[in-house]
Amino acid sequence: SHWTHTDCAIREQLICMGPATQNGTGPSEMVFKCQACNRTSELLGWVKDVFQHCVMSWDGEALIRELDFVSRIFHGSKDPRGRKLHWKSDDLKENLRSGKVESKAACKAILMVFKELELDSQKTPENAESESGRLIAPQEACNRISEVVHEAVRNMEMVANEKMRMFKKARLSFDACERELAEKAREAGELNMDRQKKKLEIEELERIVRLKSAEADMFQMKANEAKRESERLQRILLAKSDKSEEEYTSNYLKQRLNEAEAEKQYLYEKMKMQETSRLSQSSGGGGDPLMFSKIHDLLYSVPPSADGPSNDCHPFRKNP
């Protein structure tokens, strides 16, 4: 709220360069012309009071906003102190945004800038001329030298602290990079091991595929051989079946012929017995020679078989 309408005042040139407010004849500095009371106020001292009372309670973002307002206010300053404050504000603002400086260190640095500006304001040309015409007391010279030395030591301590902080931050970043590199190396080793394992598995699978392919070719060859053997056996079976049928027919005919021969022999024997009986009867009482002649012709009308049964077999026996 203490920077209300700052941009409007700059645009309306209510914040601009003007004579010093103490006697109106001093060197120009950045002033504020109030339209409410028609008074002019110098801004450097007011900004210094604001920072001295409030800067320690601001966080990093608030300090960046405050420094941005200060930088805009003193952007057009032609006073050496105003230009110096503008440069320091821009520098601290950029360092805060980039993380090079912490908020506490930046607060101390801006307060140190205001002390330097206060010392610069005491070294006016009039004081310089008056001091050049007189000798400086040894104690005063020692005090001034002591102040300069203390100021230089403080600046060196601030720079050393900042460098140490940056070194620690860089060291932490370096350690983090080392850990990340070691982790990546470990992951790369694991990936390499997995790749080797996958390669061995692929080679094993390829070997199994080749083995199974060889087995499939072998089984196919055996199947083809079995098929050819089956066809051959089938042809043999058909041939034997035809041959068996012929043999069965031949055996059946032979058996029928044998049966006929046996029946013929039986009838012949019977006829012979009847003839003997008839001759015996004819000697006693006569017979029928015509009937005997017909039976004899009927029996001998069937030609005898070359491999037929012998005359001594039973007339009713059948071959299996």
Side-chain angles (χ1 to χ4, degrees), residues 19-28 126:
T21 58
Q22 293 179 354
N23 51 16
T25 59
S28 297
E126 295 178 356

Side-chain angles (χ1 to χ4, degrees), residues 225-288:
E225 292 178 356
K227 183 177 180 181
R228 290 193 296 270
E229 184 68 17
S230 175
E231 292 175 353
R232 187 179 67 82
L233 292 176
Q234 188 173 6
R235 289 194 298 270
I236 293 172
L237 180 63
L238 291 175
K240 289 196 173 190
S241 177
D242 295 339
K243 187 175 180 181
S244 298
E245 186 174 356
E246 292 176 0
E247 290 179 355
Y248 175 78
T249 304
S250 176
N251 292 331
Y252 178 75
L253 292 176
K254 287 179 179 181
Q255 184 175 357
R256 294 295 297 172
L257 183 59
N258 293 333
E259 290 177 356
E261 286 291 335
E263 187 175 358
K264 171 186 171 183
Q265 187 68 24
Y266 171 72
L267 292 175
Y268 177 75
E269 293 292 335
K270 185 177 180 180
M271 184 185 67
K272 190 175 181 181
M273 290 175 63
Q274 289 179 357
E275 185 179 359
T276 303
S277 175
R278 185 176 55 79
L279 290 176
S280 62
Q281 288 179 3
S282 63
S283 62
D288 191 0

Side-chain angles (χ1 to χ4, degrees), residues 105-121:
C107 294
K108 293 179 181 179
I110 193 66
L111 293 177
M112 188 63 63
V113 169
F114 285 117
K115 288 183 179 180
E116 293 175 359
L117 294 177
E118 187 177 358
L119 292 175
D120 293 341
S121 66

